[in-house]
Amino acid sequence: MATPVTFPSSTPKFSLPLLFAGQAQKEFFLNQSFSLVDALLQIAVEQTSTSPPTDSSDGLCYLVKAPAEDAWAGHEDEIAVRLGGGWQFVAPQQGMTIYDRQDGALSHFDTGWLKAVEPNLPTTGATIDTEARLMLSELVEALRTLGIFANLE
């Protein structure tokens, strides 16, 4: 199959080809877009918020937290995507991981959004072994929270 060279219109985020009136072989372009989305999809949200920002651009995503307000009311824990000047909402799936650009951290969905909590580092010399063991236990638990380690307990 030939790869299209030029498109008159594309999506704002990944520049995926859009359909246009009178286009031949629409299914080729649509299937190409779906294939690229499937290959590239990695959700990053601009921030976590209870209400929509006043200056969002198409293609930007936000994590809606409770208590949601205004246009986001009733969409807690969902991903709000700005499309065509309006809001589209995507329900999270079990095991979904997103990157929050504002926090610079990953969130993992497991019946609710979870973030790993940084463990306290050992600070004294007298009980360093005990503190180090506790810190390592907390680190492993934080990695389990993100789904990096399986919870086999």
Side-chain angles (χ1 to χ4, degrees):
M1 243 183 215
T3 303
V5 177
T6 309
F7 297 101
S9 184
S10 61
T11 62
K13 196 167 194 173
F14 289 113
S15 297
L16 302 177
L18 297 174
L19 300 177
F20 56 92
Q23 181 178 16
Q25 296 182 322
K26 290 181 189 323
E27 66 278 359
F28 175 82
F29 293 92
L30 186 61
N31 288 341
Q32 180 187 23
S33 290
F34 284 148
S35 296
L36 288 170
V37 166
D38 191 55
L40 299 174
L41 188 62
Q42 181 61 281
I43 299 176
V45 298
E46 299 305 308
Q47 66 184 42
T48 300
S49 181
T50 59
S51 60
T54 56
D55 60 347
S56 184
S57 301
D58 275 4
L60 295 182
C61 301
Y62 301 85
L63 179 57
V64 181
K65 72 177 182 177
E69 303 170 346
D70 303 325
W72 290 0
H75 295 282
E76 286 85 358
D77 284 342
E78 294 181 13
I79 308 294
V81 183
R82 187 74 173 178
L83 291 176
W87 293 105
Q88 298 283 317
F89 298 95
V90 178
Q93 301 297 310
Q94 200 71 358
M96 179 184 277
T97 300
I98 61 170
Y99 178 75
D100 188 321
R101 294 180 199 277
Q102 185 178 42
D103 291 348
L106 295 173
S107 292
H108 179 76
F109 190 81
D110 185 11
T111 65
W113 288 105
L114 306 168
K115 286 188 180 184
V117 178
E118 188 173 330
N120 296 319
L121 297 176
T123 56
T124 62
T127 58
I128 193 74
D129 187 54
T130 304
E131 289 182 6
R133 289 173 190 266
L134 178 61
M135 188 271 309
L136 288 172
S137 295
E138 291 174 357
L139 179 60
V140 168
E141 186 57 36
L143 294 172
R144 274 193 193 122
T145 298
L146 284 178
I148 293 172
F149 293 145
N151 190 0
L152 302 175
E153 296 175 0

